[in-house]
């Protein structure tokens, strides 16, 4: 049996469809919240932001911004975890069903799931505990989210490449993720990696910027923060073609049966 002849099961296809909907939903919601938080803060405090750009953490310290932000992230965090779990675990199960998956793939899969759980916990903490009264808790949640989500991308990419290395298209039965889509994902992954390095450098070095360049450095810092968060989510959406194709193919598996029943 070759890969084109193998068709995902109904449950695997359904899992991919739910993952596509949930990850897409979170990508839209979180991007809308982080960018609108910055814009609203600028609108509320034009004089303060004219002196220095403010981060998302500082922006959501205003209850008018922070309370709806917290409500939406409280919804988005568990939805994101469900989406990533349904993207990775059924994929592993489908491969194992047709033969033992490598220990490397199994371990990487569970590492990604665990890291995503930690990132989602961080999302909840940073959104529910905000400046100025819960600075330490908020920063702890922020660090937990940023580092965990960054490693979700790193280990997710290693996992993607591990699936692609199993063999060319047509030679791996049970593989849900196509090596064709893994190719351009391999290129895109350098976007969040590059932004992550730039953000870390700006985070550590912003206090040492010359006074004449302080505003520009802070602007680069807070802008990179937004772009980095978006890039994390967009990386997850690079799996959308895999999810869509798996769901579509799983439907075709039962089309002949439906036609026979109708006749």
């Amino acid at each position: 049996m070759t890969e084109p002849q193998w068709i995902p099961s109904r449950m695997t296809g359904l899992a991919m469809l739910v993952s596509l909907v949930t990850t897409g939903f979170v990508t839209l919601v979180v991007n809308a919240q982080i960018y609108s938080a910055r814009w609203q803060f600028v609108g509320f405090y034009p004089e303060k932001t004219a002196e220095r750009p403010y981060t998302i953490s500082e922006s959501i310290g205003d209850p008018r911004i922070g309370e709806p932000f917290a409500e939406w992230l409280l919804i988005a965090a568990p939805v994101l975890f469900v989406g990533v779990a349904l993207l990775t675990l059924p994929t592993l199960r489908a491969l194992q069903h047709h033969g033992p998956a490598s220990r490397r793939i199994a371990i990487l899969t569970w590492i990604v799931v665990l890291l995503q759980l930690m990132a989602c916990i961080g999302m909840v903490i940073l959104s529910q505990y905000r400046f100025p009264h819960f600075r330490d808790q908020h920063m702890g949640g922020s660090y937990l989210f940023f580092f965990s989500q960054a490693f979700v991308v790193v280990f997710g990419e290693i996992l993607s490449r591990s699936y692609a290395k199993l063999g060319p298209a047509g030679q791996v039965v049970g593989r849900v993720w196509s090596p064709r889509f893994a190719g351009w994902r391999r290129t895109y992954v350098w976007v969040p990696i590059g932004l992550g390095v730039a953000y870390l450098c700006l985070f550590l070095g912003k206090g040492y910027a010359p006074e004449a360049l302080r505003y520009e450095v802070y602007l680069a810092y807070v802008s990179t923060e937004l772009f980095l968060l978006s890039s994390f989510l967009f990386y997850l959406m690079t799996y959308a073609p895999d999810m869509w194709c798996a769901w579509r193919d799983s439907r075709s598996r039962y089309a002949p049966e439906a036609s026979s029943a109708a006749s």
Side-chain angles (χ1 to χ4, degrees), residues 133-237:
H133 303 297
F134 302 101
R135 179 177 294 272
D136 292 342
Q137 295 92 328
H138 175 84
M139 294 307 298
S142 295
Y143 292 142
L144 179 62
F145 167 74
F146 268 104
F147 284 103
S148 297
Q149 198 66 50
F151 281 112
V152 166
V153 172
V154 172
F155 281 96
E157 178 59 22
I158 297 173
L159 180 60
S160 173
R161 296 185 185 192
S162 297
Y163 274 109
K165 288 179 181 178
L166 291 175
Q171 295 186 7
V172 183
V173 179
R175 179 171 56 190
V176 177
W177 298 350
S178 171
R180 177 163 59 99
F181 301 129
W184 62 271
R185 186 158 49 237
R186 183 189 298 257
T187 301
Y188 173 79
V189 74
W190 291 104
V191 174
I193 290 175
L195 288 170
V197 172
Y199 179 72
L200 183 60
C201 292
L202 289 166
F203 175 75
L204 296 175
K206 64 184 185 298
Y208 300 98
E211 189 64 32
L213 298 175
R214 187 67 55 89
Y215 183 90
E216 287 74 14
V217 170
Y218 266 88
L219 180 60
Y221 166 61
V222 299
S223 299
T224 303
E225 177 185 39
L226 291 170
F227 300 151
L228 177 60
L229 290 172
S230 295
S231 72
F232 286 158
L233 296 169
F234 290 147
Y235 178 79
L236 295 178
M237 293 311 299

